[in-house]
Amino acid sequence: MQSANEMPRYPLFINGEYCEPASGEYTQVINPATGDVVGEVAMGNEADVDKAVAAARNAFDNNSDWRRMSPEKRGKVLKQCAQIVLANAQELALLEVSCSGGTLNRVAGMDIMAVADLFGSLGDEVTQFPFVEALPTRPLPELVNTQVWREPIGVCSLITAWNFPLLLFAMKVAPALAAGNTMIVKPAEITPTSTVRLVELLNTVLPKGVLNVVVGAGSVVGEALTLHKDVDKVSFTGSTSIGRHVQQNAALTMKRVTLELGGKGPGIVMPDADIERVAYGALWGVYMNAGQACESGTRLLVHEDIYDEMIQRLKEVSEEVVVGNPMDPATGMGPMSTETHYNKVMQYIESAVADGAEIVTGGKRADVAGCEGGFFVEPTVIVGVKNDMKVACEEIFGPVLSVIKYSSLDEAIAIANDSDYGLSAGVWTENVVQAQQIARDLRAGSVWINDWHMMRTDAPFGGYKQSGYGREFGKYSISSYVETKSVSTSFERNPAAKKMHKIVHTKLA
Ligand code: NAD
C-alpha cells in the first residue's frame, strides 16, 4: 500500500483483492488536527461500482457459500472478525484518529471495543435468530404446514459518514454479514483509511466478493450504489438532505432502505435535577467527538428556577475541557473534520448572536500548540436561545450547546418535540418515575435518563421523524437485512377433498 514517495495509498478492495480505480485517480487524506496529508485514497467511479456489484452479486447468486452457510458457522466467522479487530486495534485506531480527528482516548477506548463487540455479540445473536419459524398447523380448510423463513436480502450498498468511520462500518457490516448478505461499503471520502484496511483484514476470513469497498465522491460512487439495478438494499448513514435523495434513488428499483440521519437532541433539565451531574453529563453529551455526533444533546432545556445556577456551572465545566491534539491522551476534544465544516460551525455561532442569543463561553477558534493548521472550535455554550432560532433548529455538528429556558413541563415537552429530528432525547431529574412518563412523550428513537450517549450494542438505535428509519445494533439490526418468506406445504392428496378448489372446480364431487 506504499506509493513511490512512501505516502500510504489506499486502493479499492474488490472480490478479495486490492485493485486500482478505473480512473487511476487518487485524492489526499488530510489530518484535521494538523492539516497534514496522511495518505492517498483511490477515487472510484461508476465502472468500479459495476465491478464491485458484479463481485458481490456473484458471491451471492453463484458462489453462494456465504448465504448458504449455517448461522452457527457464520457466527463463528463473525467472532473471528471480532478477534481480527482486537488484534489490529492499535493500527486501526491510529488510522482513524489521523484522518477523523476523533481523540485517541475515544477511538481506542470506546469505538474499537464497540466494533469488536458488535461482531462478537452478533456472532452469538445470529445463532438464536429466527431464520426458520414454524407456524402452528391449521386444520381448516385443509392440513397445511407453513414455515416463515428469513433470508438475506442480497447485495447491499452500505454508505457511511465521516464522524465515526469504524463504528458506522460495523453497525452495518456486522448485521449484513450475520444475515448472509454480500456488500459494497462506501466510506466517506475524507475518512476512508481505517475502513479500507479493515475490509482487507476481514477478507482473510470471508469468501471473496462478500465484502468489497469502493471509495469515492458521494455524488459519483454513492449515487451509483443507490441507483444500481443489481443492488437490493441500501443502508445509509449521513445527513438528512442526502438521506432523502438516497431514498428517492432507491425507490426507483424498490431497494430496501435503512436511513440513519441527523439529530437535534433535546435534554430536559427538571427543577429537581442535580446541577453538578447535569453540567458534566450534558457537556459530555454535546462535546463528545467535538459535537460531531448525530445523537448529541445539542438543546438543553432548563427550568427557570435553576436556570442561572445551571448556566454558571455549565460555563465553569465547559472551560475545563481540554481542546488539543487528538493523539494526546490528555485531550478531551479534537478538531472539526475539515476547514469547510469549521467555517460552517462558526457561521452557526455567529447566527445565534445575530438572532439575539448570548455566548457565555467559547465561540471562537481554539489555538492548539503544535496543531496550528488544525480546525479547532472552543467548547461553546449559548444561552437565551429560542427554539425557532437557527442554532436550535438545524444540526450544527460542532461543540455548541444551545440553552433554552422553560417554565412548565408541558412547555418543555412541546419544545423538545418541536423539531424535524427525532434521534435522541433525554431527561435530567431525581424523580425517575416521572422521567419514565416524560420518556413516553418524547418523540425520539433513544431516550436517555440522567446521562447521554447511553448507546449499547444490544439496544436498538435509530430515528423517529426526519432522523431516518430502521434500527441498528443487536438482533434488531439483523432484521434490517432479511426478507421474509412464507413456505406452505399441502398434505391433502385427494383433489375432491380440497374445499378451496371447489370455488373454481364447481363440478368436483
Ligand atoms: P453526508 O450526508 O454528507 O455524507 C454521508 C455519506 O454519503 C458519505 O459517504 C458521502 O460521500 C455519501 N454521499 C454524498 N452524496 C451522496 C449521494 N448523492 N448518494 C449517495 N451517497 C452520497 O453526511 P456527512 O457530512 O458525512 O455526515 C454527517 C451527517 O451524518 C450528520 O447529519 C449526522 O447527523 C449524520 N450521522 C447520522 C448518524 C446516525 O446514526 N443517525 C450517525 C453518524 C452521522
Side-chain angles (χ1 to χ4, degrees), residues 159-164 168 171 186-189 216-219 221-223 226 236-243 245-246 249 259-263 293-295 395 397 423 461 467 472:
I159 301 174
T160 57
W162 46 261
N163 53 344
F164 296 86
L168 301 181
M171 287 164 79
K186 192 207 97 58
E189 52 276 37
S219 57
V221 172
E223 198 72 12
T226 52
F236 172 87
T237 296
S239 58
T240 293
S241 59
I242 304 281
H245 177 72
V246 164
N249 280 357
L259 298 173
E260 294 287 0
L261 310 176
C294 49
E295 31 70 76
E395 193 181 37
F397 233 51
L423 193 55
F461 176 73
S467 290
E472 297 194 315

mmCIF file of all heavy atoms in Angstrom, residues 159-164 168 171 186-189 216-219 221-223 226 236-243 245-246 249 259-263 293-295 395 397 423 461 467 472, ligand 1:
data_model
loop_
_atom_site.group_PDB
_atom_site.id
_atom_site.type_symbol
_atom_site.label_atom_id
_atom_site.label_comp_id
_atom_site.label_asym_id
_atom_site.label_seq_id
_atom_site.Cartn_x
_atom_site.Cartn_y
_atom_site.Cartn_z
ATOM 1 N N ILE A 159 -23.377 2.787 3.035
ATOM 2 C CA ILE A 159 -22.735 4.099 2.866
ATOM 3 C C ILE A 159 -22.619 4.772 4.227
ATOM 4 O O ILE A 159 -23.605 4.883 4.957
ATOM 5 C CB ILE A 159 -23.580 4.972 1.907
ATOM 6 C CG1 ILE A 159 -23.705 4.260 0.554
ATOM 7 C CG2 ILE A 159 -22.956 6.354 1.743
ATOM 8 C CD1 ILE A 159 -24.639 4.953 -0.431
ATOM 9 N N THR A 160 -21.405 5.182 4.580
ATOM 10 C CA THR A 160 -21.193 5.727 5.935
ATOM 11 C C THR A 160 -20.677 7.166 5.923
ATOM 12 O O THR A 160 -20.120 7.645 4.930
ATOM 13 C CB THR A 160 -20.180 4.858 6.716
ATOM 14 O OG1 THR A 160 -18.958 4.791 5.975
ATOM 15 C CG2 THR A 160 -20.705 3.451 6.932
ATOM 16 N N ALA A 161 -20.864 7.822 7.072
ATOM 17 C CA ALA A 161 -20.418 9.210 7.266
ATOM 18 C C ALA A 161 -19.001 9.224 7.847
ATOM 19 O O ALA A 161 -18.435 8.184 8.179
ATOM 20 C CB ALA A 161 -21.393 9.914 8.203
ATOM 21 N N TRP A 162 -18.451 10.432 8.008
ATOM 22 C CA TRP A 162 -17.048 10.561 8.404
ATOM 23 C C TRP A 162 -16.826 10.622 9.902
ATOM 24 O O TRP A 162 -15.682 10.600 10.367
ATOM 25 C CB TRP A 162 -16.425 11.833 7.784
ATOM 26 C CG TRP A 162 -17.273 13.072 7.904
ATOM 27 C CD1 TRP A 162 -18.077 13.596 6.932
ATOM 28 C CD2 TRP A 162 -17.428 13.920 9.046
ATOM 29 N NE1 TRP A 162 -18.722 14.715 7.405
ATOM 30 C CE2 TRP A 162 -18.338 14.939 8.695
ATOM 31 C CE3 TRP A 162 -16.891 13.932 10.335
ATOM 32 C CZ2 TRP A 162 -18.727 15.949 9.573
ATOM 33 C CZ3 TRP A 162 -17.273 14.925 11.223
ATOM 34 C CH2 TRP A 162 -18.187 15.922 10.832
ATOM 35 N N ASN A 163 -17.894 10.729 10.689
ATOM 36 C CA ASN A 163 -17.653 11.066 12.098
ATOM 37 C C ASN A 163 -17.201 9.906 12.984
ATOM 38 O O ASN A 163 -16.430 10.115 13.912
ATOM 39 C CB ASN A 163 -18.859 11.789 12.695
ATOM 40 C CG ASN A 163 -20.158 11.062 12.501
ATOM 41 O OD1 ASN A 163 -20.262 10.150 11.683
ATOM 42 N ND2 ASN A 163 -21.167 11.447 13.240
ATOM 43 N N PHE A 164 -17.689 8.690 12.702
ATOM 44 C CA PHE A 164 -17.233 7.502 13.460
ATOM 45 C C PHE A 164 -16.996 6.379 12.443
ATOM 46 O O PHE A 164 -17.772 5.406 12.394
ATOM 47 C CB PHE A 164 -18.298 7.046 14.460
ATOM 48 C CG PHE A 164 -18.608 8.040 15.540
ATOM 49 C CD1 PHE A 164 -19.541 9.036 15.336
ATOM 50 C CD2 PHE A 164 -17.947 7.976 16.769
ATOM 51 C CE1 PHE A 164 -19.822 9.960 16.319
ATOM 52 C CE2 PHE A 164 -18.228 8.888 17.757
ATOM 53 C CZ PHE A 164 -19.164 9.892 17.538
ATOM 54 N N LEU A 168 -19.514 3.104 12.452
ATOM 55 C CA LEU A 168 -20.614 3.106 11.478
ATOM 56 C C LEU A 168 -20.464 1.924 10.518
ATOM 57 O O LEU A 168 -21.460 1.308 10.107
ATOM 58 C CB LEU A 168 -20.648 4.423 10.698
ATOM 59 C CG LEU A 168 -20.832 5.698 11.550
ATOM 60 C CD1 LEU A 168 -20.872 6.930 10.647
ATOM 61 C CD2 LEU A 168 -22.085 5.636 12.398
ATOM 62 N N MET A 171 -21.666 -1.141 12.405
ATOM 63 C CA MET A 171 -23.121 -1.118 12.627
ATOM 64 C C MET A 171 -23.870 -1.654 11.406
ATOM 65 O O MET A 171 -25.001 -2.128 11.514
ATOM 66 C CB MET A 171 -23.582 0.299 12.960
ATOM 67 C CG MET A 171 -23.188 0.736 14.364
ATOM 68 S SD MET A 171 -23.298 2.509 14.637
ATOM 69 C CE MET A 171 -25.044 2.758 14.890
ATOM 70 N N LYS A 186 -19.157 1.977 1.128
ATOM 71 C CA LYS A 186 -18.572 3.244 0.666
ATOM 72 C C LYS A 186 -18.384 4.157 1.867
ATOM 73 O O LYS A 186 -19.334 4.740 2.386
ATOM 74 C CB LYS A 186 -19.468 3.958 -0.353
ATOM 75 C CG LYS A 186 -18.687 5.099 -1.018
ATOM 76 C CD LYS A 186 -19.537 6.232 -1.514
ATOM 77 C CE LYS A 186 -19.657 7.400 -0.599
ATOM 78 N NZ LYS A 186 -18.427 8.080 -0.192
ATOM 79 N N PRO A 187 -17.138 4.272 2.356
ATOM 80 C CA PRO A 187 -16.909 5.198 3.470
ATOM 81 C C PRO A 187 -16.887 6.629 2.958
ATOM 82 O O PRO A 187 -16.776 6.858 1.747
ATOM 83 C CB PRO A 187 -15.520 4.782 3.965
ATOM 84 C CG PRO A 187 -14.828 4.218 2.763
ATOM 85 C CD PRO A 187 -15.894 3.640 1.868
ATOM 86 N N ALA A 188 -16.970 7.582 3.891
ATOM 87 C CA ALA A 188 -16.831 8.982 3.482
ATOM 88 C C ALA A 188 -15.435 9.178 2.912
ATOM 89 O O ALA A 188 -14.456 8.622 3.437
ATOM 90 C CB ALA A 188 -17.051 9.890 4.684
ATOM 91 N N GLU A 189 -15.335 9.951 1.862
ATOM 92 C CA GLU A 189 -14.063 10.072 1.152
ATOM 93 C C GLU A 189 -12.987 10.788 1.975
ATOM 94 O O GLU A 189 -11.802 10.666 1.671
ATOM 95 C CB GLU A 189 -14.268 10.741 -0.216
ATOM 96 C CG GLU A 189 -15.027 12.059 -0.226
ATOM 97 C CD GLU A 189 -16.565 11.901 -0.253
ATOM 98 O OE1 GLU A 189 -17.090 10.977 0.399
ATOM 99 O OE2 GLU A 189 -17.217 12.731 -0.901
ATOM 100 N N GLY A 216 -14.945 6.929 -2.918
ATOM 101 C CA GLY A 216 -15.126 7.911 -3.981
ATOM 102 C C GLY A 216 -16.115 8.973 -3.556
ATOM 103 O O GLY A 216 -16.666 8.912 -2.441
ATOM 104 N N ALA A 217 -16.353 9.907 -4.427
ATOM 105 C CA ALA A 217 -17.263 11.008 -4.102
ATOM 106 C C ALA A 217 -18.685 10.472 -3.953
ATOM 107 O O ALA A 217 -19.105 9.575 -4.685
ATOM 108 C CB ALA A 217 -17.216 12.050 -5.215
ATOM 109 N N GLY A 218 -19.424 11.054 -3.020
ATOM 110 C CA GLY A 218 -20.809 10.642 -2.832
ATOM 111 C C GLY A 218 -21.621 10.845 -4.092
ATOM 112 O O GLY A 218 -22.469 10.015 -4.449
ATOM 113 N N SER A 219 -21.347 11.945 -4.803
ATOM 114 C CA SER A 219 -22.124 12.270 -5.997
ATOM 115 C C SER A 219 -21.836 11.304 -7.144
ATOM 116 O O SER A 219 -22.570 11.285 -8.137
ATOM 117 C CB SER A 219 -21.816 13.709 -6.437
ATOM 118 O OG SER A 219 -20.417 13.824 -6.646
ATOM 119 N N VAL A 221 -19.860 7.721 -6.609
ATOM 120 C CA VAL A 221 -19.937 6.334 -6.119
ATOM 121 C C VAL A 221 -21.226 6.110 -5.320
ATOM 122 O O VAL A 221 -21.926 5.104 -5.504
ATOM 123 C CB VAL A 221 -18.691 5.999 -5.271
ATOM 124 C CG1 VAL A 221 -18.840 4.647 -4.586
ATOM 125 C CG2 VAL A 221 -17.445 6.009 -6.153
ATOM 126 N N GLY A 222 -21.550 7.071 -4.438
ATOM 127 C CA GLY A 222 -22.774 6.930 -3.639
ATOM 128 C C GLY A 222 -23.996 6.879 -4.535
ATOM 129 O O GLY A 222 -24.903 6.052 -4.358
ATOM 130 N N GLU A 223 -23.992 7.764 -5.500
ATOM 131 C CA GLU A 223 -25.105 7.829 -6.451
ATOM 132 C C GLU A 223 -25.251 6.492 -7.195
ATOM 133 O O GLU A 223 -26.348 5.941 -7.299
ATOM 134 C CB GLU A 223 -24.797 8.970 -7.442
ATOM 135 C CG GLU A 223 -25.953 9.486 -8.224
ATOM 136 C CD GLU A 223 -26.949 10.307 -7.408
ATOM 137 O OE1 GLU A 223 -26.684 10.693 -6.257
ATOM 138 O OE2 GLU A 223 -28.051 10.525 -7.947
ATOM 139 N N THR A 226 -26.647 3.668 -5.066
ATOM 140 C CA THR A 226 -28.065 3.745 -4.681
ATOM 141 C C THR A 226 -28.995 3.596 -5.887
ATOM 142 O O THR A 226 -30.188 3.377 -5.727
ATOM 143 C CB THR A 226 -28.364 5.076 -3.961
ATOM 144 O OG1 THR A 226 -27.900 6.171 -4.760
ATOM 145 C CG2 THR A 226 -27.677 5.118 -2.610
ATOM 146 N N PHE A 236 -27.800 3.649 4.756
ATOM 147 C CA PHE A 236 -27.104 4.928 4.623
ATOM 148 C C PHE A 236 -27.021 5.632 5.965
ATOM 149 O O PHE A 236 -28.020 5.736 6.678
ATOM 150 C CB PHE A 236 -27.880 5.810 3.633
ATOM 151 C CG PHE A 236 -27.377 7.234 3.549
ATOM 152 C CD1 PHE A 236 -26.341 7.570 2.684
ATOM 153 C CD2 PHE A 236 -27.931 8.231 4.339
ATOM 154 C CE1 PHE A 236 -25.874 8.875 2.613
ATOM 155 C CE2 PHE A 236 -27.469 9.543 4.271
ATOM 156 C CZ PHE A 236 -26.435 9.863 3.405
ATOM 157 N N THR A 237 -25.837 6.103 6.318
ATOM 158 C CA THR A 237 -25.690 6.995 7.476
ATOM 159 C C THR A 237 -25.116 8.304 6.976
ATOM 160 O O THR A 237 -24.049 8.322 6.348
ATOM 161 C CB THR A 237 -24.754 6.390 8.543
ATOM 162 O OG1 THR A 237 -25.359 5.200 9.041
ATOM 163 C CG2 THR A 237 -24.561 7.353 9.705
ATOM 164 N N GLY A 238 -25.825 9.379 7.249
ATOM 165 C CA GLY A 238 -25.353 10.684 6.802
ATOM 166 C C GLY A 238 -26.404 11.734 7.072
ATOM 167 O O GLY A 238 -27.272 11.563 7.938
ATOM 168 N N SER A 239 -26.330 12.809 6.321
ATOM 169 C CA SER A 239 -27.217 13.948 6.569
ATOM 170 C C SER A 239 -28.634 13.647 6.078
ATOM 171 O O SER A 239 -28.835 12.824 5.180
ATOM 172 C CB SER A 239 -26.671 15.170 5.840
ATOM 173 O OG SER A 239 -26.562 14.888 4.459
ATOM 174 N N THR A 240 -29.581 14.355 6.665
ATOM 175 C CA THR A 240 -30.979 14.155 6.277
ATOM 176 C C THR A 240 -31.197 14.542 4.816
ATOM 177 O O THR A 240 -31.941 13.867 4.099
ATOM 178 C CB THR A 240 -31.897 14.952 7.226
ATOM 179 O OG1 THR A 240 -31.788 14.350 8.525
ATOM 180 C CG2 THR A 240 -33.342 14.913 6.784
ATOM 181 N N SER A 241 -30.522 15.591 4.347
ATOM 182 C CA SER A 241 -30.775 16.011 2.961
ATOM 183 C C SER A 241 -30.309 14.943 1.964
ATOM 184 O O SER A 241 -31.034 14.594 1.029
ATOM 185 C CB SER A 241 -30.107 17.363 2.667
ATOM 186 O OG SER A 241 -28.731 17.246 2.891
ATOM 187 N N ILE A 242 -29.106 14.372 2.197
ATOM 188 C CA ILE A 242 -28.646 13.313 1.277
ATOM 189 C C ILE A 242 -29.482 12.048 1.492
ATOM 190 O O ILE A 242 -29.790 11.317 0.538
ATOM 191 C CB ILE A 242 -27.143 13.009 1.467
ATOM 192 C CG1 ILE A 242 -26.291 14.263 1.300
ATOM 193 C CG2 ILE A 242 -26.684 11.920 0.497
ATOM 194 C CD1 ILE A 242 -26.000 14.708 -0.092
ATOM 195 N N GLY A 243 -29.876 11.792 2.734
ATOM 196 C CA GLY A 243 -30.698 10.610 3.020
ATOM 197 C C GLY A 243 -31.997 10.627 2.233
ATOM 198 O O GLY A 243 -32.451 9.600 1.717
ATOM 199 N N HIS A 245 -32.466 12.073 -0.608
ATOM 200 C CA HIS A 245 -32.102 11.813 -2.006
ATOM 201 C C HIS A 245 -31.836 10.317 -2.216
ATOM 202 O O HIS A 245 -32.262 9.730 -3.223
ATOM 203 C CB HIS A 245 -30.870 12.657 -2.344
ATOM 204 C CG HIS A 245 -30.345 12.452 -3.713
ATOM 205 N ND1 HIS A 245 -31.002 12.921 -4.830
ATOM 206 C CD2 HIS A 245 -29.239 11.802 -4.161
ATOM 207 C CE1 HIS A 245 -30.311 12.567 -5.906
ATOM 208 N NE2 HIS A 245 -29.241 11.897 -5.533
ATOM 209 N N VAL A 246 -31.156 9.703 -1.259
ATOM 210 C CA VAL A 246 -30.872 8.259 -1.331
ATOM 211 C C VAL A 246 -32.179 7.476 -1.390
ATOM 212 O O VAL A 246 -32.336 6.524 -2.170
ATOM 213 C CB VAL A 246 -30.024 7.829 -0.107
ATOM 214 C CG1 VAL A 246 -30.032 6.316 0.097
ATOM 215 C CG2 VAL A 246 -28.585 8.333 -0.252
ATOM 216 N N ASN A 249 -33.609 7.723 -4.835
ATOM 217 C CA ASN A 249 -32.900 6.849 -5.786
ATOM 218 C C ASN A 249 -33.310 5.396 -5.586
ATOM 219 O O ASN A 249 -33.568 4.661 -6.546
ATOM 220 C CB ASN A 249 -31.382 6.955 -5.566
ATOM 221 C CG ASN A 249 -30.793 8.197 -6.209
ATOM 222 O OD1 ASN A 249 -31.496 8.949 -6.872
ATOM 223 N ND2 ASN A 249 -29.505 8.412 -6.001
ATOM 224 N N LEU A 259 -32.141 4.255 6.929
ATOM 225 C CA LEU A 259 -31.551 5.594 6.945
ATOM 226 C C LEU A 259 -31.247 6.010 8.385
ATOM 227 O O LEU A 259 -32.147 6.025 9.230
ATOM 228 C CB LEU A 259 -32.513 6.614 6.326
ATOM 229 C CG LEU A 259 -32.888 6.405 4.857
ATOM 230 C CD1 LEU A 259 -33.980 7.386 4.446
ATOM 231 C CD2 LEU A 259 -31.657 6.581 3.962
ATOM 232 N N GLU A 260 -29.982 6.304 8.644
ATOM 233 C CA GLU A 260 -29.566 6.839 9.954
ATOM 234 C C GLU A 260 -29.101 8.265 9.701
ATOM 235 O O GLU A 260 -28.029 8.483 9.149
ATOM 236 C CB GLU A 260 -28.414 6.001 10.532
ATOM 237 C CG GLU A 260 -28.790 4.577 10.878
ATOM 238 C CD GLU A 260 -29.657 4.469 12.128
ATOM 239 O OE1 GLU A 260 -29.978 5.502 12.749
ATOM 240 O OE2 GLU A 260 -30.030 3.342 12.477
ATOM 241 N N LEU A 261 -29.921 9.236 10.099
ATOM 242 C CA LEU A 261 -29.672 10.613 9.657
ATOM 243 C C LEU A 261 -29.370 11.552 10.832
ATOM 244 O O LEU A 261 -28.904 11.124 11.866
ATOM 245 C CB LEU A 261 -30.874 11.085 8.833
ATOM 246 C CG LEU A 261 -31.279 10.100 7.722
ATOM 247 C CD1 LEU A 261 -32.534 10.564 7.001
ATOM 248 C CD2 LEU A 261 -30.137 9.874 6.733
ATOM 249 N N GLY A 262 -29.658 12.806 10.650
ATOM 250 C CA GLY A 262 -29.236 13.817 11.618
ATOM 251 C C GLY A 262 -30.102 13.861 12.874
ATOM 252 O O GLY A 262 -31.091 13.148 12.997
ATOM 253 N N GLY A 263 -29.702 14.720 13.797
ATOM 254 C CA GLY A 263 -30.453 14.869 15.039
ATOM 255 C C GLY A 263 -30.289 16.260 15.640
ATOM 256 O O GLY A 263 -29.434 17.052 15.199
ATOM 257 N N ALA A 293 -21.527 14.301 16.384
ATOM 258 C CA ALA A 293 -22.244 13.036 16.586
ATOM 259 C C ALA A 293 -23.722 13.318 16.361
ATOM 260 O O ALA A 293 -24.257 14.334 16.839
ATOM 261 C CB ALA A 293 -22.012 12.497 17.994
ATOM 262 N N CYS A 294 -24.360 12.407 15.618
ATOM 263 C CA CYS A 294 -25.758 12.618 15.237
ATOM 264 C C CYS A 294 -26.681 12.684 16.442
ATOM 265 O O CYS A 294 -27.663 13.407 16.440
ATOM 266 C CB CYS A 294 -26.199 11.477 14.339
ATOM 267 S SG CYS A 294 -25.776 9.867 15.037
ATOM 268 N N GLU A 295 -26.358 11.916 17.509
ATOM 269 C CA GLU A 295 -27.262 11.839 18.647
ATOM 270 C C GLU A 295 -26.809 12.736 19.802
ATOM 271 O O GLU A 295 -27.240 12.552 20.943
ATOM 272 C CB GLU A 295 -27.452 10.386 19.112
ATOM 273 C CG GLU A 295 -26.281 9.476 18.922
ATOM 274 C CD GLU A 295 -25.128 9.810 19.861
ATOM 275 O OE1 GLU A 295 -25.216 9.479 21.053
ATOM 276 O OE2 GLU A 295 -24.146 10.416 19.398
ATOM 277 N N GLU A 395 -28.931 21.185 12.563
ATOM 278 C CA GLU A 395 -27.834 20.402 13.127
ATOM 279 C C GLU A 395 -26.526 21.149 12.866
ATOM 280 O O GLU A 395 -26.145 21.362 11.717
ATOM 281 C CB GLU A 395 -27.813 19.041 12.427
ATOM 282 C CG GLU A 395 -26.946 18.039 13.102
ATOM 283 C CD GLU A 395 -26.935 16.705 12.363
ATOM 284 O OE1 GLU A 395 -26.968 16.708 11.122
ATOM 285 O OE2 GLU A 395 -26.886 15.664 13.036
ATOM 286 N N PHE A 397 -23.442 20.257 14.311
ATOM 287 C CA PHE A 397 -22.384 19.247 14.234
ATOM 288 C C PHE A 397 -21.053 19.812 14.718
ATOM 289 O O PHE A 397 -20.002 19.603 14.125
ATOM 290 C CB PHE A 397 -22.261 18.717 12.804
ATOM 291 C CG PHE A 397 -22.337 17.216 12.748
ATOM 292 C CD1 PHE A 397 -23.372 16.537 13.358
ATOM 293 C CD2 PHE A 397 -21.355 16.467 12.105
ATOM 294 C CE1 PHE A 397 -23.445 15.152 13.328
ATOM 295 C CE2 PHE A 397 -21.410 15.079 12.073
ATOM 296 C CZ PHE A 397 -22.458 14.424 12.689
ATOM 297 N N LEU A 423 -33.940 11.736 16.930
ATOM 298 C CA LEU A 423 -32.971 10.651 17.114
ATOM 299 C C LEU A 423 -32.765 10.349 18.599
ATOM 300 O O LEU A 423 -32.931 9.229 19.053
ATOM 301 C CB LEU A 423 -31.650 11.029 16.434
ATOM 302 C CG LEU A 423 -30.628 9.919 16.247
ATOM 303 C CD1 LEU A 423 -31.208 8.735 15.492
ATOM 304 C CD2 LEU A 423 -29.402 10.451 15.506
ATOM 305 N N PHE A 461 -31.069 1.216 17.859
ATOM 306 C CA PHE A 461 -30.718 2.627 17.693
ATOM 307 C C PHE A 461 -31.206 3.094 16.321
ATOM 308 O O PHE A 461 -30.953 2.436 15.311
ATOM 309 C CB PHE A 461 -29.197 2.808 17.788
ATOM 310 C CG PHE A 461 -28.764 4.221 17.540
ATOM 311 C CD1 PHE A 461 -28.981 5.214 18.485
ATOM 312 C CD2 PHE A 461 -28.168 4.580 16.336
ATOM 313 C CE1 PHE A 461 -28.613 6.523 18.251
ATOM 314 C CE2 PHE A 461 -27.790 5.893 16.095
ATOM 315 C CZ PHE A 461 -28.011 6.858 17.052
ATOM 316 N N SER A 467 -35.051 11.916 11.282
ATOM 317 C CA SER A 467 -33.763 11.300 11.662
ATOM 318 C C SER A 467 -33.619 9.927 11.021
ATOM 319 O O SER A 467 -32.626 9.240 11.262
ATOM 320 C CB SER A 467 -33.654 11.192 13.186
ATOM 321 O OG SER A 467 -33.494 12.475 13.750
ATOM 322 N N GLU A 472 -30.491 -0.014 14.033
ATOM 323 C CA GLU A 472 -29.208 -0.701 14.023
ATOM 324 C C GLU A 472 -28.908 -1.190 15.438
ATOM 325 O O GLU A 472 -29.611 -0.837 16.382
ATOM 326 C CB GLU A 472 -28.111 0.242 13.510
ATOM 327 C CG GLU A 472 -28.382 0.649 12.062
ATOM 328 C CD GLU A 472 -27.226 1.306 11.346
ATOM 329 O OE1 GLU A 472 -26.586 2.184 11.934
ATOM 330 O OE2 GLU A 472 -26.969 0.938 10.177
HETATM 331 P P1 NAD B 1 -23.270 13.317 4.162
HETATM 332 O O1 NAD B 1 -24.736 13.083 4.010
HETATM 333 O O2 NAD B 1 -22.681 14.476 3.505
HETATM 334 O O3 NAD B 1 -22.443 12.046 3.650
HETATM 335 C C1 NAD B 1 -22.651 10.748 4.162
HETATM 336 C C2 NAD B 1 -22.167 9.744 3.137
HETATM 337 O O4 NAD B 1 -22.993 9.851 1.981
HETATM 338 C C3 NAD B 1 -20.730 9.957 2.654
HETATM 339 O O5 NAD B 1 -20.106 8.720 2.437
HETATM 340 C C4 NAD B 1 -20.950 10.689 1.330
HETATM 341 O O6 NAD B 1 -19.870 10.536 0.423
HETATM 342 C C5 NAD B 1 -22.192 9.994 0.829
HETATM 343 N N1 NAD B 1 -22.956 10.727 -0.191
HETATM 344 C C6 NAD B 1 -22.888 12.037 -0.512
HETATM 345 N N2 NAD B 1 -23.704 12.300 -1.551
HETATM 346 C C7 NAD B 1 -24.308 11.140 -1.883
HETATM 347 C C8 NAD B 1 -25.263 10.769 -2.878
HETATM 348 N N3 NAD B 1 -25.763 11.652 -3.744
HETATM 349 N N4 NAD B 1 -25.678 9.496 -2.917
HETATM 350 C C9 NAD B 1 -25.199 8.577 -2.036
HETATM 351 N N5 NAD B 1 -24.277 8.865 -1.093
HETATM 352 C C10 NAD B 1 -23.838 10.137 -1.015
HETATM 353 O O7 NAD B 1 -23.014 13.305 5.746
HETATM 354 P P2 NAD B 1 -21.662 13.592 6.487
HETATM 355 O O8 NAD B 1 -21.399 15.038 6.425
HETATM 356 O O9 NAD B 1 -20.618 12.650 6.001
HETATM 357 O O10 NAD B 1 -22.022 13.136 7.968
HETATM 358 C C11 NAD B 1 -22.656 13.942 8.869
HETATM 359 C C12 NAD B 1 -24.132 13.627 8.927
HETATM 360 O O11 NAD B 1 -24.308 12.245 9.232
HETATM 361 C C13 NAD B 1 -24.827 14.375 10.027
HETATM 362 O O12 NAD B 1 -26.053 14.852 9.557
HETATM 363 C C14 NAD B 1 -25.032 13.312 11.098
HETATM 364 O O13 NAD B 1 -26.101 13.584 11.965
HETATM 365 C C15 NAD B 1 -25.263 12.106 10.279
HETATM 366 N N6 NAD B 1 -24.983 10.898 11.052
HETATM 367 C C16 NAD B 1 -26.037 10.128 11.467
HETATM 368 C C17 NAD B 1 -25.808 9.001 12.249
HETATM 369 C C18 NAD B 1 -26.950 8.153 12.733
HETATM 370 O O14 NAD B 1 -26.705 7.020 13.138
HETATM 371 N N7 NAD B 1 -28.185 8.626 12.716
HETATM 372 C C19 NAD B 1 -24.501 8.656 12.597
HETATM 373 C C20 NAD B 1 -23.460 9.444 12.145
HETATM 374 C C21 NAD B 1 -23.712 10.568 11.362
#
